[in-house]
């Protein structure tokens, strides 16, 4: 009886949520989608992986991510943002300021 009561109580607990990503100096802005020239659309794994892809592309000016739809979009020139539920966006300067400052083209 004790075991069945314990199992019943455990079934009513909310599901565990993933740990939040570590804070950055300038993080993704929730409910915002980046607009501009779409350079590439990748399968989302983590925000850091999306940032790394953008950092590796000299034409990338920002990212838009939608983890629920597993999308990572690299945005080219004319990066702007607008309200869009379930998306998050960040300009390249938020996650790549040190690399941009040292880049020589």
């Amino acid at each position: 009886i004790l075991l069945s009561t314990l199992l019943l109580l455990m079934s009513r607990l909310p599901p565990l949520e993933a740990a939040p990503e570590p804070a950055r100096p300038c993080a993704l802005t929730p409910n915002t989608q980046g607009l501009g020239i779409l350079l590439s659309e990748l399968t989302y794994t983590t925000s850091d992986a999306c940032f790394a892809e953008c950092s590796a592309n000299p034409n990338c000016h920002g990212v838009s991510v939608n983890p629920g739809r597993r999308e990572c979009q690299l945005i080219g020139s004319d990066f702007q943002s607008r309200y869009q539920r379930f998306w998050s966006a960040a300009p390249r300067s938020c996650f790549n300021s040190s690399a941009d400052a040292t880049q020589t083209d």
Side-chain angles (χ1 to χ4, degrees), residues 6 8 15 19 23 28-31 45 55 57-59 62-64 72 74-75 78 81 90-92 100-101:
L6 181 62
L8 178 65
L28 288 165
T29 303
N31 294 320
T45 53
S55 296
N57 184 333
N59 297 317
V63 298
S64 288
C72 165
L74 305 185
I75 308 297
D78 303 323
S81 59
R92 183 179 180 135
D100 285 342

Side-chain angles (χ1 to χ4, degrees), residues 39-86:
L39 297 175
S40 181
E41 190 166 48
L42 310 166
T43 301
Y44 176 87
T45 53
T46 66
S47 295
D48 287 332
C50 195
F51 295 157
E53 288 291 333
C54 184
S55 296
N57 184 333
N59 297 317
C60 184
H61 288 243
V63 298
S64 288
V65 298
N66 184 331
R69 291 177 51 183
R70 297 183 48 93
E71 291 183 48
C72 165
Q73 297 177 341
L74 305 185
I75 308 297
S77 62
D78 303 323
F79 180 84
Q80 300 174 11
S81 59
R82 69 171 175 147
Y83 174 82
Q84 184 66 39
R85 193 170 176 198
F86 304 120

